[in-house]
Amino acid sequence: MSARTVITYIGNGSPANRLRDLLKRPSTWNGLDELYHQILSKQFDNIRLDGTKQAVLYSILGTLVVAPYPVSLDVIAALYGDKSIFEGLNQESVIEYLRQDILADLNSLLLIPTSPIESTHFMHTSIRDLLINEQRCQERVYYIDVHQHHGRLASLCLSVMVRCLKENICNLSDLSKANSEVQDVIEWEVSPVIRYCSRAWSIHLTDGAEWSKLVTEGLDGQRADFERFSREKLLYWLEVMSLIRDCHSDLMMGRLDGSVLSVAFSPDGKVLASGSDDYTIRLWDAQTWTPLGQPLTGHDGSVESVAFSPDGKVLASGSISNDYTIRLLDPQTGTSLSQPLTGHHNFVCSVAFSPDGKVLASGSEDCTVRLWDAQTWAPLGQPLTGHNGSALPVAFSSDGKVLASGSEDYTIRLWDSQTGTPLGQLLKGERNPLWSVAFSPDGRVLASGFGDCTIRLWDAKTWAPLGQPLQGFNRIPSFISIPHADMQEPPTLRYYILNIGDHWVKLSSSRLFWFPSEYWYYDPFPTVLLINVTLVIIYNEALSIFDVSYAL
């Protein structure tokens, strides 16, 4: 490798001058590093008087280091062609400028094909290894900060998509044709840079851990582009992903190792917790949607329910574990706060904190509900009995005085959360199990989701049904109540009921998100949550986040 690099370097210029340059270096080199330093330093020195040229060269090297997919000179020219040194040049001229003035002396390190649409890449992985190692670069200008370049490329990709994506991007006159019938049109109309940005933006955003920091420090353009993309360009992006036959890359915001069964936001809205059938809990940064630390372990079964305490200091979880326990974790450190809570005699299906944080409720397949002191973690009284089937969901009223529990016995039971005594009458469905219960923020209405894909509303004072069951849902409804992250006062909880049908996720009559056919027929169907103005879609091993404020 060293001999080939030297020969290529000498052959790409004046052989006598380049050989003389190399011989001026120390007689003893530290392997390939010194050779790479010689070549890189010479190129940066050649353009040291032009800061813009140096910045473009540095950006190109960073792009080649972090790009998850092949990039060509055509893509590079489109990403960086707005720099002042390219003013007045068309795309073809920018590519030639890159060849002749920016990358001319790097042919020994880079493979730069004659065709501008073929992939440009490093001659050897050892070059990349050097560039990303700060110690080996020894404070030289070409050290590549991987996170920083991911963040910059996330911004560039979003900017390109906001500028270029449009409805019917291929201008097809007959939209009924299969993609295979119009591949020639797709190749012509969907440019390489749009292809790259559409495939890679979420990877750059996820891996660019410093992206949110860059935004908060004043680069508001990135935030604006992201908001505009999610508001105006989302469906056009899905169209492109379908056209280039890469629909499986559109759910790459966060990688998981199993299906997600439960989610909960912290009270300040900064952290999302997810429970999975891989027996773990993961925490996610709710601004960048990147994982926070390692998965939290301890359960030996699928994590069915997660819940934050109102002060955000405790994360409780219930699972299909053979020890039938509830686990309590510090969400900041991931460490256990106490011994697992024991007392149930079957799987724990749900956990919920009272609004004042003093009580934790749990529902179990042993047909009971239990209350726990959230300071001592001791059980409060005896198990609440009465259900003849698994106690699936539990929920506190907004004032904390009433606890509702649903069951596979087709009923909702109401309990005094202080004494554990039953309240009012038994609420019954139409011989369908209860899968979800939630109180309205003002405490006046109780909503319940049944196994027949209907929603029933109940007056929380008289416990009489309010109107007829809500129908038309293709999936069992679920209810989400999440505080908004930006609120300074105690957050107002917002509840939404989603209708999923005809390929669309809808809120009332508003269309929020369209599913391609590839996803619509998946089993299990993707989990879809609406949280304030954020649509969360979870399928199999992936988590995707979208701003849908435009439709609310």
Side-chain angles (χ1 to χ4, degrees):
M1 177 63 194
S2 178
R4 186 179 71 179
T5 303
V6 169
I7 292 170
T8 304
Y9 176 69
I10 293 174
N12 284 335
S14 168
N17 291 337
R18 294 210 165 181
L19 181 58
R20 187 181 305 111
D21 286 340
L22 289 177
L23 293 176
K24 287 179 181 178
R25 290 289 171 176
S27 58
T28 302
W29 284 357
N30 181 19
L32 289 173
D33 280 11
E34 287 297 333
L35 177 58
Y36 295 157
H37 286 317
Q38 164 79 352
I39 298 170
L40 289 164
S41 296
K42 180 176 177 58
Q43 180 60 12
F44 274 89
D45 286 344
N46 288 343
I47 57 177
R48 67 183 182 279
L49 298 180
D50 191 326
T52 303
K53 283 186 179 181
Q54 278 204 343
V56 170
L57 174 58
Y58 180 65
S59 295
I60 292 172
L61 292 176
T63 299
L64 296 177
V65 164
V66 304
Y69 303 106
V71 290
S72 62
L73 280 185
D74 187 77
V75 171
I76 292 170
L79 289 174
Y80 302 108
D82 62 346
K83 303 301 181 184
S84 59
I85 57 174
F86 304 126
E87 185 175 355
L89 301 183
N90 58 26
Q91 178 84 348
E92 184 177 345
S93 298
V94 171
I95 291 172
E96 282 307 306
Y97 194 116
L98 291 173
R99 287 184 188 276
Q100 301 298 326
D101 291 83
I102 306 295
L103 304 174
D105 284 333
L106 293 182
N107 285 296
S108 54
L109 300 185
L110 300 178
L111 176 63
I112 306 175
T114 304
S115 170
I117 62 173
E118 293 182 18
S119 171
T120 296
H121 55 80
F122 294 113
M123 288 287 195
H124 195 267
T125 56
S126 59
I127 305 167
R128 181 187 185 277
D129 294 341
L130 169 70
L131 291 173
I132 64 175
N133 190 308
E134 188 172 11
Q135 183 176 3
R136 290 167 62 188
C137 281
Q138 303 170 1
E139 299 184 356
R140 289 178 170 89
V141 295
Y142 42 78
Y143 162 67
I144 301 299
D145 184 318
V146 172
H147 295 300
Q148 184 183 75
H149 281 269
H150 271 302
R152 289 175 176 173
L153 278 165
S155 300
L156 284 172
C157 289
L158 286 167
S159 179
V160 168
M161 291 190 296
V162 165
R163 188 170 65 250
C164 299
L165 292 180
K166 63 179 183 177
E167 184 177 2
N168 189 16
I169 194 169
C170 292
N171 299 309
L172 299 175
S173 58
D174 184 358
L175 297 178
S176 66
K177 288 186 177 181
N179 289 350
S180 58
E181 299 179 67
V182 291
Q183 275 304 302
D184 55 338
V185 179
I186 295 171
E187 290 293 328
W188 178 259
E189 296 289 349
V190 183
S191 67
V193 71
I194 292 178
R195 291 169 184 263
Y196 177 82
C197 292
S198 296
R199 296 179 70 198
W201 75 272
S202 63
I203 298 174
H204 289 311
L205 187 61
T206 302
D207 292 344
E210 298 297 316
W211 189 73
S212 61
K213 180 179 177 182
L214 290 173
V215 174
T216 59
E217 289 179 352
L219 299 182
D220 294 331
Q222 291 93 334
R223 184 186 296 275
D225 281 340
F226 181 77
E227 291 176 351
R228 186 179 173 193
F229 168 75
S230 60
R231 184 174 63 250
E232 300 176 10
K233 304 291 185 173
L234 183 60
L235 293 181
Y236 308 150
W237 168 63
L238 286 173
E239 177 189 353
V240 168
M241 298 300 284
S242 175
L243 290 171
I244 65 177
R245 300 182 179 183
D246 195 11
C247 283
H248 296 288
S249 292
D250 56 2
L251 295 176
M252 290 289 293
M253 293 296 293
R255 300 303 300 172
L256 303 166
D257 292 323
S259 298
V260 176
L261 304 177
S262 54
V263 292
F265 273 81
S266 61
D268 61 8
K270 295 181 178 179
V271 178
L272 173 69
S274 61
S276 171
D277 66 1
D278 65 359
Y279 308 170
T280 69
I281 299 168
R282 293 213 70 146
L283 301 178
W284 310 82
D285 186 310
Q287 290 185 334
T288 64
W289 304 112
T290 53
L292 296 172
Q294 298 299 310
L296 308 181
T297 59
H299 288 293
D300 62 6
S302 301
V303 181
E304 295 284 299
S305 181
V306 289
F308 282 94
S309 61
D311 62 7
K313 295 181 178 179
V314 181
L315 178 64
S317 58
S319 77
I320 304 178
S321 296
N322 292 324
D323 57 6
Y324 311 144
T325 61
I326 300 164
R327 292 187 175 267
L328 306 163
L329 301 172
D330 182 330
Q332 294 294 322
T333 64
T335 57
S336 296
L337 294 173
S338 79
Q339 293 296 316
L341 306 186
T342 60
H344 283 297
H345 302 292
N346 209 324
F347 304 138
V348 178
C349 303
S350 58
V351 289
F353 280 93
S354 61
D356 61 9
K358 294 181 178 180
V359 178
L360 174 69
S362 58
S364 169
E365 288 196 9
D366 64 6
C367 305
T368 70
V369 174
R370 277 190 169 268
L371 302 177
W372 312 82
D373 186 310
Q375 291 186 329
T376 65
W377 303 117
L380 294 172
Q382 297 299 310
L384 310 185
T385 60
H387 283 301
N388 295 316
S390 298
L392 299 174
V394 291
F396 284 93
S397 60
S398 56
D399 61 10
K401 294 180 180 179
V402 179
L403 176 69
S405 61
S407 172
E408 289 183 338
D409 65 4
Y410 321 139
T411 67
I412 303 170
R413 289 184 175 268
L414 306 164
W415 315 86
D416 184 313
S417 62
Q418 298 296 314
T419 65
T421 55
L423 294 174
Q425 64 186 30
L426 200 64
L427 309 184
K428 296 182 179 180
E430 297 291 335
R431 296 189 62 79
N432 279 285
L434 265 293
W435 291 100
S436 54
V437 291
F439 283 91
S440 62
D442 59 11
R444 296 179 180 179
V445 178
L446 174 68
S448 56
F450 285 82
D452 61 354
C453 300
T454 64
I455 294 172
R456 289 174 170 79
L457 304 178
W458 312 83
D459 186 309
K461 286 188 176 180
T462 65
W463 304 116
L466 294 173
Q468 296 299 310
L470 307 181
Q471 300 179 349
F473 298 92
N474 298 82
R475 305 282 168 176
I476 297 170
S478 61
F479 305 96
I480 309 300
S481 59
I482 304 299
H484 195 287
D486 295 331
M487 297 187 66
Q488 301 299 316
E489 300 298 323
T492 300
L493 302 183
R494 301 176 65 182
Y495 294 76
Y496 297 100
I497 298 173
L498 297 179
N499 179 11
I500 304 176
D502 299 326
H503 290 265
W504 282 94
V505 178
K506 302 176 186 177
L507 175 65
S508 185
S509 60
S510 297
R511 292 179 170 183
L512 301 183
F513 191 88
W514 178 80
F515 276 104
S517 298
E518 291 93 329
Y519 296 118
W520 189 253
Y521 298 107
Y522 280 171
D523 186 19
F525 189 77
T527 299
V528 183
L529 314 172
L530 181 59
I531 304 156
N532 285 322
V533 297
T534 301
L535 188 70
V536 180
I537 299 176
I538 306 166
Y539 176 70
N540 205 11
E541 299 180 349
L543 170 73
S544 289
I545 311 294
F546 302 104
D547 182 341
V548 292
S549 56
Y550 67 93
L552 300 178

